[in-house]
Amino acid sequence: LTSCGVYQRGEENEGVFGFLLDDINQEIRRAARLTCFGCKKKGACIGCNVRSCRKVVHFPCGRKQKFITQFTEMFPSYCQDHSPTQTLCVDSDFSLPQSCSICLDSIDPVLSYSVLKCPSCHASWFHRDCVQRQAHSAGLFFFRCTLCNNKENFQKEMLRMGVYIPERDASWELEPNAYSELLEVYNRCDSAICLCNNGRTHSVKKGYIMLSFLCKRKNIIY
């Protein structure tokens, strides 16, 4: 996805998700001649998207060298010297104690590779690692600012700053029987004195409703 010399020329069911095997092998041969800016070993296939920049890295080395990869469109990558940056709003209030809006640990409110902020509100600061974990958990449909709840501008900005947002539902929505307890009906009478001759757990379609009504008419406190 992030290699500079391979493109998705096939359909989704061809090759590896549309990346044809011949193209992948050709990219492997191309990268075998390139030296990584980070570890100085061969096989680097990710280059800075600025044409005049000659830095190339392996993907893990790029993370260590603070490369930013935008996981959208053509998946461009940028070295630390040419990576996109954020700007501070003049209304930002630094008098309040600053903390990461996700992990709540203290944070130095200075924009950098490791520190990001929401573009829609003036008080939300995030560790990059924290906002990336949130994106993995929330997925595309639930990923938003934890303070102002903005979704559209927040996602657009986080993609620009190299946060990967998986295109799936939230992790808590994917758990088997995640909301099964909502379908459970409470089936025990908790009245101090139960008037049902069949016991507190006896229930028929209209019996429980009528029983509750009868208990209330008798002024019995639950």
Side-chain angles (χ1 to χ4, degrees), residues 81-97:
D81 295 332
H82 301 112
S83 60
T85 58
Q86 292 185 297
T87 56
L88 284 176
C89 178
V90 293
D91 296 332
S92 297
D93 186 2
F94 297 101
S95 62
L96 298 174

Side-chain angles (χ1 to χ4, degrees), residues 156-201:
K156 184 177 180 181
E157 178 70 357
M158 292 302 105
L159 284 172
R160 189 179 74 88
M161 295 306 298
V163 174
Y164 170 62
I165 310 174
E167 191 173 347
R168 58 165 173 75
D169 215 339
S171 58
W172 58 85
E173 295 281 349
L174 300 176
E175 295 179 8
N177 302 319
Y179 299 101
S180 58
E181 65 273 8
L182 298 179
L183 302 177
E184 296 178 3
V185 178
Y186 194 72
N187 58 2
R188 178 180 175 82
C189 176
D190 288 333
S191 172
I193 301 175
C194 181
L195 303 179
C196 179
N197 294 327
N198 295 319
R200 293 181 178 273
T201 58

Side-chain angles (χ1 to χ4, degrees), residues 2-213:
T2 57
S3 295
C4 296
V6 62
Y7 303 94
Q8 192 179 25
R9 298 193 302 114
E11 301 296 331
E12 286 288 339
N13 59 349
E14 295 183 279
V16 182
F17 298 106
F19 292 92
L20 304 181
L21 296 182
D22 289 343
D23 293 343
I24 295 175
N25 289 325
Q26 183 177 346
E27 174 64 2
I28 292 173
R29 291 191 292 269
R30 184 190 74 87
R33 302 190 298 268
L34 303 177
T35 302
C36 176
F37 174 75
C39 68
K40 310 304 180 184
K41 296 180 180 180
K42 298 288 185 179
C45 61
I46 301 175
C48 180
N49 199 48
V50 176
R51 289 183 177 275
S52 60
C53 184
R54 310 302 298 174
K55 293 179 181 177
V56 290
V57 291
H58 303 103
F59 184 81
C61 297
R63 301 305 249 186
K64 295 177 182 178
Q65 295 296 323
K66 299 182 179 180
F67 265 60
I68 284 182
T69 297
Q70 296 174 343
F71 295 91
T72 180
E73 298 179 355
M74 297 298 292
F75 286 62
S77 297
Y78 299 90
C79 70
Q80 188 175 12
D81 295 332
H82 301 112
S83 60
T85 58
Q86 292 185 297
T87 56
L88 284 176
C89 178
V90 293
D91 296 332
S92 297
D93 186 2
F94 297 101
S95 62
L96 298 174
Q98 297 295 331
S99 62
C100 173
S101 298
I102 298 175
C103 72
L104 303 181
D105 286 346
S106 61
I107 193 171
D108 189 10
V110 177
L111 292 172
S112 64
Y113 175 82
S114 302
V115 177
L116 305 174
K117 75 180 303 294
C118 174
S120 299
C121 59
H122 310 315
S124 55
W125 295 81
F126 311 95
H127 298 113
R128 174 181 288 272
D129 291 341
C130 291
V131 77
Q132 180 61 82
R133 283 194 293 270
Q134 183 198 7
H136 274 298
S137 177
L140 183 65
F141 303 108
F142 289 91
F143 182 53
R144 61 193 69 202
C145 176
T146 53
L147 288 187
C148 70
N149 212 33
N150 181 277
K151 180 179 178 180
E152 183 177 357
N153 293 337
F154 183 71
Q155 287 192 5
K156 184 177 180 181
E157 178 70 357
M158 292 302 105
L159 284 172
R160 189 179 74 88
M161 295 306 298
V163 174
Y164 170 62
I165 310 174
E167 191 173 347
R168 58 165 173 75
D169 215 339
S171 58
W172 58 85
E173 295 281 349
L174 300 176
E175 295 179 8
N177 302 319
Y179 299 101
S180 58
E181 65 273 8
L182 298 179
L183 302 177
E184 296 178 3
V185 178
Y186 194 72
N187 58 2
R188 178 180 175 82
C189 176
D190 288 333
S191 172
I193 301 175
C194 181
L195 303 179
C196 179
N197 294 327
N198 295 319
R200 293 181 178 273
T201 58
H202 176 69
S203 176
V204 293
K205 282 191 175 181
K206 295 184 179 180
Y208 186 77
I209 299 175
M210 293 298 294
L211 178 61
S212 299
F213 176 75

